[in-house]
């Protein structure tokens, strides 16, 4: 079980800090007391607007950032001893660009006893990715696919994905969701950050919502289905979305042009 307890993360902007004549500079709060528990076998969607703290939360889980609070995996802190139970697919990419796919496979097999070789071969074949081309020569969409494949094949219990589908067309994304549902085992957990809410609404089993670094929503997909509420509408409600905001903006623009 992954337990996130009262996690707070602040970022200092050094330039603003030392150029603030008032002396009242305050660091940006990226996460503010986030508490969350994720059990194995869940497919959790992490949602929120840009700057809500989604990427920061994932990097804190992976112990890539210093933070206040506690993050525990089966009652233990995340260290080098248990870090291999996590994998990470990020749109920033974490592969070796000069290596080809075959080289990555060999490296992962040497580093991770849990590496899923058959899954790797099947996914590479499914997405028609070449084994002998350097990853830096892949298209943007192919790089994202490869990043996700490596995260899925490492053999981790918790698979974190941060906007992994940027640059992929809708058909590839739909195919990926179907394949993922078909290959995941009961002990594998996916924690997926994305803006593609409607696309993943039928894929995630739970939705977690951040706003300005705070947890403002946590709901099971079954609960929304029972209420007849879509995931998109749930998020809009939690964000207090103004349905007439577009109309109001157009009116203001029109008024400005008339003047």
């Amino acid at each position: 079980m992954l337990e996130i307890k009262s996690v707070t993360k602040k970022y200092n902007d050094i330039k603003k800090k030392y150029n603030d004549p008032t002396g009242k500079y305050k660091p940006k709060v990226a996460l503010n007391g986030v508490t969350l528990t994720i059990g194995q076998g869940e497919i959790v969607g992490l949602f929120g607007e840009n700057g809500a703290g989604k990427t920061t939360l994932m990097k804190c889980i992976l112990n890539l950032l210093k933070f206040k609070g506690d993050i525990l995996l089966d009652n233990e802190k995340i260290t080098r001893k248990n870090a291999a139970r996590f994998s990470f697919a990020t749109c920033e990419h974490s592969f070796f660009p000069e290596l080809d796919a075959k080289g990555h496979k060999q490296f992962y097999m040497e580093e991770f006893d849990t590496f899923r070789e058959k899954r790797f071969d099947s996914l590479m074949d499914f997405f028609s990715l070449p084994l002998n081309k350097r990853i830096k020569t892949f298209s943007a969409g192919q790089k994202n696919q490869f990043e996700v494949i490596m995260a899925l094949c490492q053999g981790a219990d918790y698979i974190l994905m941060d906007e992994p589908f940027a640059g992929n067309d809708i058909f590839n994304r739909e195919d990926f969701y179907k394949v993922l549902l078909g290959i995941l085992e009961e002990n594998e957990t996916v924690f997926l950050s994305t803006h593609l809410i409607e696309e993943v609404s039928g894929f995630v089993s739970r939705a977690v919502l951040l706003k300005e670094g705070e947890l403002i929503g946590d709901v099971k997909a079954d609960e929304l289905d029972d209420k007849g509420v879509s995931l998109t509408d749930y998020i809009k409600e939690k964000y207090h979305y103004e349905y007439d905001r577009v109309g109001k903006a157009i009116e203001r623009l029109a008024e400005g042009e008339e003047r």
Side-chain angles (χ1 to χ4, degrees):
M1 180 176 289
L2 178 64
E3 298 176 273
I4 301 163
K5 300 180 178 181
S6 303
V7 169
T8 296
K9 172 62 182 175
K10 297 179 180 179
Y11 288 107
N12 279 314
D13 186 323
I14 301 299
K15 186 176 180 179
K16 288 184 178 180
K17 181 176 182 179
Y18 289 102
N19 288 282
D20 179 11
T22 67
K24 297 180 180 180
Y25 167 80
K26 292 183 179 180
K28 177 187 176 183
V29 179
L31 295 174
N32 188 15
V34 173
T35 296
L36 185 66
T37 299
I38 301 175
Q40 284 189 249
E42 294 189 84
I43 302 177
V44 183
L46 179 62
F47 305 102
E49 60 193 356
N50 292 330
K54 302 186 297 298
T55 298
T56 297
L57 178 58
M58 288 196 169
K59 288 184 176 180
C60 286
I61 292 172
L62 295 167
N63 208 17
L64 298 175
L65 296 173
K66 292 182 179 179
F67 58 88
K68 291 185 177 179
D70 291 298
I71 297 180
L72 305 176
L73 178 60
D74 295 339
N75 296 316
E76 295 182 356
K77 291 189 175 183
I78 314 302
T79 65
R80 291 183 179 182
K81 293 181 179 180
N82 57 7
R85 292 184 62 191
F86 293 93
S87 64
F88 188 35
T90 166
C91 57
E92 297 173 356
H93 298 147
S94 56
F95 46 69
F96 304 106
E98 294 293 339
L99 274 185
D100 58 18
K102 194 173 181 179
H104 278 83
K105 175 182 176 180
Q106 183 178 352
F107 174 79
Y108 270 63
M109 289 180 69
E110 292 174 357
E111 292 294 319
F112 302 103
D113 294 335
T114 54
F115 184 76
R116 299 173 181 270
E117 183 178 4
K118 290 184 178 179
R119 181 183 287 185
F120 175 86
D121 293 338
S122 297
L123 289 173
M124 289 293 292
D125 181 65
F126 179 82
F127 287 110
S128 301
L129 296 180
L131 285 170
N132 299 311
K133 288 181 64 177
R134 288 181 294 177
I135 307 303
K136 73 176 186 179
T137 67
F138 282 16
S139 69
Q142 287 177 321
K143 288 176 180 177
N144 293 332
Q145 289 170 346
F146 185 73
E147 177 89 1
V148 170
I149 287 174
M150 297 312 298
L152 287 171
C153 296
Q154 178 184 309
D157 295 322
Y158 288 83
I159 304 162
L160 279 57
M161 299 184 183
D162 185 20
E163 293 290 350
F165 309 118
N168 288 90
D169 61 66
I170 187 172
F171 303 111
N172 269 317
R173 294 197 301 266
E174 287 182 353
D175 287 344
F176 174 76
Y177 302 140
K178 294 174 184 176
V179 169
L180 193 54
L181 286 173
I183 66 173
L184 286 176
E185 297 182 2
E186 290 184 0
N187 65 313
E188 291 181 284
T189 302
V190 174
F191 195 27
L192 168 67
S193 167
T194 181
H195 291 291
L196 305 173
I197 300 169
E198 293 185 2
E199 283 189 18
V200 301
S201 60
F203 167 68
V204 299
S205 60
R206 177 181 169 193
V208 170
L209 183 58
L210 291 178
K211 181 179 182 181
E212 296 178 354
E214 297 188 356
L215 182 68
I216 64 168
D218 185 358
V219 66
K220 296 285 184 68
D222 290 344
E223 294 176 24
L224 293 179
D225 290 340
D226 291 342
K227 296 177 181 178
V229 178
S230 71
L231 177 58
T232 300
D233 287 340
Y234 170 78
I235 293 174
K236 285 183 176 180
E237 177 188 349
K238 288 294 182 179
Y239 260 88
H240 303 294
Y241 178 78
E242 297 180 34
Y243 285 87
D244 60 343
R245 61 182 299 204
V246 175
K248 289 180 177 179
I250 291 174
E251 288 180 8
R252 287 195 295 270
L253 288 169
E255 290 175 357
E257 289 180 358
E258 289 177 359
R259 293 174 188 172

